Amino acid sequence: MRKFADLDELIAAEGEELGSSDWLEIDQDRIDRFADATGDHQWIHVDREKAAAGPFGSTIAHGYLSLSLLAYFGPRVYTLEKAPTMGINYGLNKVRFLQPVKVGARVRDKVRLTGVRSSDKGVLLTMEHTVEIEDDDRPALVAEALVLIVP
Protein backbone atom coordinates (compact mmCIF):
# COMPACT_ATOMS: atom_id res chain seq x y z
CA MET A 1 0.00 0.00 0.00
CA ARG A 2 1.46 3.31 -1.08
CA LYS A 3 0.48 6.26 1.11
CA PHE A 4 0.37 9.82 -0.11
CA ALA A 5 0.08 12.71 2.33
CA ASP A 6 -2.38 14.59 0.12
CA LEU A 7 -3.62 15.12 -3.40
CA ASP A 8 -0.63 17.27 -4.34
CA GLU A 9 1.75 14.45 -3.46
CA LEU A 10 -0.30 12.02 -5.55
CA ILE A 11 -0.30 14.44 -8.49
CA ALA A 12 3.50 14.63 -8.25
CA ALA A 13 3.59 10.86 -8.87
CA GLU A 14 2.25 11.27 -12.42
CA GLY A 15 3.96 8.76 -14.68
CA GLU A 16 4.79 6.40 -11.82
CA GLU A 17 3.59 2.95 -10.95
CA LEU A 18 1.65 3.37 -7.71
CA GLY A 19 1.92 -0.29 -6.77
CA SER A 20 0.07 -3.57 -6.81
CA SER A 21 -2.71 -4.95 -4.67
CA ASP A 22 -2.54 -8.22 -2.80
CA TRP A 23 -3.73 -11.34 -4.61
CA LEU A 24 -7.47 -12.09 -4.54
CA GLU A 25 -8.84 -15.57 -5.25
CA ILE A 26 -11.78 -15.68 -7.63
CA ASP A 27 -14.00 -18.43 -6.26
CA GLN A 28 -17.23 -19.83 -7.65
CA ASP A 29 -19.32 -18.11 -5.00
CA ARG A 30 -18.11 -14.67 -6.19
CA ILE A 31 -18.82 -15.64 -9.82
CA ASP A 32 -22.30 -16.93 -8.93
CA ARG A 33 -23.13 -13.79 -6.95
CA PHE A 34 -22.02 -11.62 -9.87
CA ALA A 35 -24.17 -13.71 -12.21
CA ASP A 36 -27.14 -13.15 -9.89
CA ALA A 37 -26.46 -9.41 -9.65
CA THR A 38 -26.21 -8.95 -13.42
CA GLY A 39 -28.53 -11.66 -14.71
CA ASP A 40 -25.68 -13.13 -16.77
CA HIS A 41 -25.97 -16.86 -16.07
CA GLN A 42 -24.15 -18.08 -19.18
CA TRP A 43 -22.97 -21.66 -18.67
CA ILE A 44 -19.25 -20.79 -18.97
CA HIS A 45 -19.67 -18.89 -15.70
CA VAL A 46 -22.09 -20.95 -13.61
CA ASP A 47 -22.43 -24.52 -14.93
CA ARG A 48 -19.44 -26.32 -13.42
CA GLU A 49 -20.07 -29.63 -15.19
CA LYS A 50 -20.66 -28.21 -18.66
CA ALA A 51 -17.80 -25.70 -18.28
CA ALA A 52 -15.37 -28.49 -17.28
CA ALA A 53 -15.94 -30.01 -20.72
CA GLY A 54 -15.88 -26.60 -22.44
CA PRO A 55 -13.10 -24.56 -24.00
CA PHE A 56 -11.58 -23.34 -20.71
CA GLY A 57 -11.74 -26.56 -18.69
CA SER A 58 -13.61 -24.86 -15.84
CA THR A 59 -15.96 -21.99 -15.17
CA ILE A 60 -14.54 -18.52 -15.73
CA ALA A 61 -15.22 -15.14 -14.21
CA HIS A 62 -17.27 -12.68 -16.19
CA GLY A 63 -15.08 -10.08 -17.90
CA TYR A 64 -17.15 -7.40 -16.23
CA LEU A 65 -16.58 -9.05 -12.85
CA SER A 66 -12.83 -8.74 -13.39
CA LEU A 67 -13.30 -5.11 -14.46
CA SER A 68 -15.55 -4.29 -11.50
CA LEU A 69 -12.77 -5.38 -9.14
CA LEU A 70 -10.88 -2.18 -9.98
CA ALA A 71 -13.11 -0.49 -7.40
CA TYR A 72 -12.04 -3.10 -4.84
CA PHE A 73 -8.34 -3.00 -5.71
CA GLY A 74 -7.82 0.78 -5.93
CA PRO A 75 -7.98 1.56 -2.20
CA ARG A 76 -5.68 -1.41 -1.57
CA VAL A 77 -2.99 -0.02 -3.88
CA TYR A 78 -2.78 3.59 -2.70
CA THR A 79 -4.38 5.94 -0.22
CA LEU A 80 -4.42 9.64 0.61
CA GLU A 81 -3.82 10.41 4.29
CA LYS A 82 -5.65 13.74 3.86
CA ALA A 83 -8.75 12.41 2.18
CA PRO A 84 -10.47 14.56 -0.45
CA THR A 85 -14.19 15.31 -0.28
CA MET A 86 -14.78 12.44 -2.69
CA GLY A 87 -13.43 10.44 -5.58
CA ILE A 88 -15.82 9.67 -8.44
CA ASN A 89 -15.60 6.98 -11.10
CA TYR A 90 -15.54 9.19 -14.20
CA GLY A 91 -15.43 6.40 -16.77
CA LEU A 92 -13.07 4.42 -18.91
CA ASN A 93 -11.06 5.36 -21.98
CA LYS A 94 -10.08 1.86 -22.95
CA VAL A 95 -10.62 -1.70 -21.74
CA ARG A 96 -9.22 -4.90 -23.19
CA PHE A 97 -10.06 -8.37 -21.89
CA LEU A 98 -6.94 -10.34 -22.79
CA GLN A 99 -7.75 -13.73 -21.31
CA PRO A 100 -10.30 -15.36 -19.03
CA VAL A 101 -9.90 -15.74 -15.28
CA LYS A 102 -10.59 -19.36 -14.37
CA VAL A 103 -12.35 -20.22 -11.14
CA GLY A 104 -9.79 -20.60 -8.35
CA ALA A 105 -7.27 -18.25 -9.99
CA ARG A 106 -5.75 -15.42 -8.00
CA VAL A 107 -5.64 -11.93 -9.48
CA ARG A 108 -4.17 -8.59 -8.49
CA ASP A 109 -4.17 -5.09 -9.88
CA LYS A 110 -1.07 -3.11 -10.85
CA VAL A 111 -1.81 0.62 -11.08
CA ARG A 112 0.08 3.42 -12.85
CA LEU A 113 -0.89 7.10 -12.73
CA THR A 114 -0.59 8.13 -16.39
CA GLY A 115 -2.34 11.49 -16.46
CA VAL A 116 -3.46 14.43 -14.36
CA ARG A 117 -5.76 17.20 -15.53
CA SER A 118 -7.22 19.99 -13.38
CA SER A 119 -10.67 21.36 -14.01
CA ASP A 120 -13.23 23.49 -12.22
CA LYS A 121 -14.77 20.24 -10.88
CA GLY A 122 -11.54 18.89 -9.38
CA VAL A 123 -8.60 16.84 -10.58
CA LEU A 124 -9.11 14.16 -13.21
CA LEU A 125 -6.67 11.28 -12.82
CA THR A 126 -6.03 8.74 -15.56
CA MET A 127 -5.06 5.38 -14.08
CA GLU A 128 -3.71 2.48 -16.07
CA HIS A 129 -4.80 -0.81 -14.49
CA THR A 130 -3.34 -4.19 -15.31
CA VAL A 131 -5.18 -7.08 -13.68
CA GLU A 132 -2.64 -9.89 -13.49
CA ILE A 133 -3.29 -13.59 -13.05
CA GLU A 134 -0.91 -15.34 -10.69
CA ASP A 135 1.63 -17.57 -12.48
CA ASP A 136 0.55 -16.35 -15.91
CA ASP A 137 2.51 -14.16 -18.30
CA ARG A 138 -0.55 -12.49 -19.82
CA PRO A 139 -2.87 -10.28 -17.80
CA ALA A 140 -6.61 -10.83 -17.60
CA LEU A 141 -7.28 -7.25 -18.61
CA VAL A 142 -5.87 -3.80 -19.06
CA ALA A 143 -7.97 -0.71 -18.55
CA GLU A 144 -7.52 3.03 -18.56
CA ALA A 145 -9.82 4.38 -15.87
CA LEU A 146 -10.67 7.96 -15.01
CA VAL A 147 -11.14 9.13 -11.44
CA LEU A 148 -12.37 12.63 -10.61
CA ILE A 149 -10.98 13.78 -7.27
CA VAL A 150 -13.00 16.53 -5.65
CA PRO A 151 -10.73 18.25 -3.09
Side-chain angles (χ1 to χ4, degrees):
M1 164 76 72
R2 186 161 173 193
K3 294 183 180 183
F4 295 94
D6 55 24
L7 182 57
D8 290 334
E9 191 173 291
L10 175 61
I11 290 170
E14 182 179 8
E16 295 180 20
E17 184 174 306
L18 302 183
S20 296
S21 67
D22 289 336
W23 293 103
L24 173 69
E25 183 176 346
I26 304 302
D27 60 18
Q28 190 63 50
D29 181 59
R30 183 181 297 271
I31 294 169
D32 291 343
R33 287 184 288 127
F34 190 84
D36 289 342
T38 62
D40 182 354
H41 292 93
Q42 189 178 118
W43 64 270
I44 60 174
H45 304 303
V46 298
D47 187 331
R48 293 168 181 87
E49 189 173 304
K50 189 172 181 179
F56 306 111
S58 70
T59 57
I60 60 169
H62 305 72
Y64 285 128
L65 167 55
S66 299
L67 181 62
S68 73
L69 290 173
L70 300 186
Y72 169 82
F73 286 133
R76 289 159 176 80
V77 173
Y78 73 94
T79 187
L80 297 172
E81 291 178 350
K82 182 181 175 192
T85 302
M86 66 180 146
I88 301 170
N89 173 358
Y90 204 72
L92 301 161
N93 284 337
K94 182 172 118 178
V95 177
R96 296 293 180 267
F97 299 106
L98 302 175
Q99 69 171 327
V101 176
K102 293 181 180 182
V103 67
R106 291 180 1 133
V107 296
R108 72 175 176 188
D109 186 16
K110 183 170 57 176
V111 181
R112 175 179 295 278
L113 176 58
T114 59
V116 175
R117 192 178 80 206
S118 293
S119 75
D120 58 338
K121 297 177 184 176
V123 179
L124 187 63
L125 305 176
T126 302
M127 301 285 193
E128 178 186 272
H129 294 266
T130 303
V131 176
E132 302 173 316
I133 302 170
E134 190 174 38
D135 299 325
D136 205 314
D137 293 336
R138 290 183 54 213
L141 71 89
V142 292
E144 189 175 86
L146 304 173
V147 178
L148 178 65
I149 303 294
V150 179

